[in-house]
Amino acid sequence: MSIELEKLVFTRFDSEHPMNDRQRGRFLELLEASFPAYERRTAAGQRFLFQQPEYVVFAALLEGKILAFLTWWEMQDFRYVEHFASDPALRGQGLGGRMLDLFLKIAESVCVLEVELPETDVACRRIGFYRRHGFELCPFDYMQPPLRPDDEPTPLALMATQVLERPQFEHVRDALYARVYTCGTDLA
């Protein structure tokens, strides 16, 4: 499937401007298709996120159907990108890069995201993609707390749109642990 990027509508959904049932179903379908269970909350946990004022879904729509999304958290002094995915049939057409560029254009603060450690070709390509869009890999060890009850922490790396020195890295990590990883992660 190919798309004309000019026909897409980019929309922000949040607790004040929620998705409709069809859009929410499509979002959950793409989330499940794009991330293994340990990288996403349970259905109940995700429903809980939609009610949080700091949680935002930025979506690319064509005729009302979500084709890609980027979720972020509005933290006090940075934005944390939690999930970023597109319809698998559309990958490689520039949609992800366009979405990320739009997101970074409207972001008014440092942006941070998690990536897998650069131990596989796929992880290295993903890191390269983010580097091309202005992110830098943080050199400090980072563990993603579990997103589901009974899961284990996952070793990952942080990337940010500015170089984070250790105190800034620790501030970001601690803020993520205190807010993001205590929100909806205990719901089975």
Side-chain angles (χ1 to χ4, degrees):
M1 171 191 331
S2 71
I3 56 164
E4 293 180 43
L5 294 178
E6 308 78 45
K7 292 186 177 184
L8 294 175
V9 174
F10 294 91
T11 304
R12 175 188 170 128
F13 297 106
D14 54 34
S15 60
E16 292 184 22
H17 305 93
M19 291 179 250
N20 64 37
D21 290 341
R22 191 184 75 173
Q23 291 165 332
R24 192 171 28 264
R26 175 67 174 158
F27 170 86
L28 295 171
E29 174 188 316
L30 285 176
L31 184 69
E32 188 172 316
S34 301
F35 296 94
Y38 72 90
E39 290 184 8
R40 54 187 162 81
R41 288 170 180 75
T42 62
Q46 188 62 48
R47 281 192 301 274
F48 185 72
L49 284 193
F50 292 139
Q51 302 167 23
Q52 305 309 305
E54 309 99 310
Y55 184 75
V56 178
V57 177
F58 181 55
L61 294 91
L62 182 62
E63 298 173 2
K65 180 181 179 182
I66 294 177
L67 299 181
F69 65 82
L70 182 149
T71 65
W72 80 77
W73 288 80
E74 290 280 350
M75 306 300 278
Q76 183 177 355
D77 53 355
F78 67 95
R79 283 187 176 180
Y80 165 65
V81 175
E82 184 166 38
H83 290 107
F84 183 27
S86 64
D87 185 312
L90 299 174
R91 292 183 185 150
Q93 296 186 40
L95 176 56
R98 181 154 182 203
M99 273 197 87
L100 188 56
D101 288 343
L102 284 171
F103 165 72
L104 292 172
K105 186 176 180 179
I106 62 174
E108 297 174 350
S109 58
V110 174
C111 298
V112 177
L113 52 81
E114 298 166 336
V115 292
E116 295 168 340
L117 297 174
E119 298 171 342
T120 66
D121 288 342
V122 171
C124 288
R125 282 195 307 273
R126 191 169 291 127
I127 289 168
F129 169 80
Y130 289 121
R131 278 193 169 133
R132 288 190 298 279
H133 291 275
F135 285 83
E136 292 297 326
L137 199 59
C138 296
F140 309 111
D141 291 340
Y142 176 79
M143 292 293 286
Q144 178 196 53
L147 286 168
R148 293 168 173 256
D150 303 321
D151 277 358
E152 297 296 320
T154 303
L156 295 176
L158 286 183
M159 294 187 80
T161 54
Q162 76 177 36
V163 174
L164 299 182
E165 300 298 330
R166 183 168 288 280
Q168 296 161 310
F169 167 83
E170 291 173 353
H171 166 73
V172 166
R173 179 199 63 205
D174 294 348
L176 294 177
Y177 287 4
R179 179 62 180 128
V180 173
Y181 290 102
T182 61
C183 190
T185 57
D186 60 343
L187 301 174

